[in-house]
Amino acid sequence: MYAVIQTGGKQYRVSAGEKLKIERIAGAVGQEIVLDQVLLVADGDAIKMGAPLLAGARVKAKVVKHGRGEKVRIFKLNRRKHYRRSQGHRKNYTEIEILGIAA
């Protein structure tokens, strides 16, 4: 059984027991959260699809940890003009563990 959820402007295919990193969400470590923006639920050959969201479907998850991703370096250069700009960026994330899917 799996589901397709939407959080942080992105879509993820999740199943029970899976861990994944999503955009930072509010919630303490160890807290259970409910993700209610479910787009699709599939159980074997039975597929339920929303338009765009599936009414009554929920995914329960537990917050494992909060963290920051790898540093991304941004470098701009105009050749022969002595123009150089350097900037860095680290994205915040929340790691969650999927506990169950309720359709």
Side-chain angles (χ1 to χ4, degrees), residues 36-80:
D36 57 354
Q37 292 190 344
V38 179
L39 305 171
L40 178 137
V41 173
D43 189 9
D45 290 336
I47 296 175
K48 297 179 189 172
M49 191 165 30
L53 299 177
L54 193 57
R58 296 183 320 273
V59 174
K60 285 182 74 173
K62 181 176 77 171
V63 176
V64 177
K65 71 175 184 175
H66 297 289
R68 299 186 72 184
E70 293 292 318
K71 181 168 246 187
V72 177
R73 298 234 178 239
I74 297 109
F75 184 73
K76 296 182 179 181
L77 170 74
N78 283 354
R79 61 187 190 149
R80 297 186 302 266

Side-chain angles (χ1 to χ4, degrees), residues 25 92 98:
I25 57 174
N92 297 325
I98 306 299

Side-chain angles (χ1 to χ4, degrees), residues 7-52:
T7 179
K10 298 175 182 66
Q11 296 177 4
Y12 302 93
R13 181 185 189 269
V14 298
S15 57
E18 195 173 86
K19 289 185 179 180
L20 69 142
K21 294 179 181 178
I22 61 173
E23 296 285 327
R24 174 73 62 102
I25 57 174
V29 174
Q31 179 182 358
E32 288 190 5
I33 57 172
V34 176
L35 303 168
D36 57 354
Q37 292 190 344
V38 179
L39 305 171
L40 178 137
V41 173
D43 189 9
D45 290 336
I47 296 175
K48 297 179 189 172
M49 191 165 30

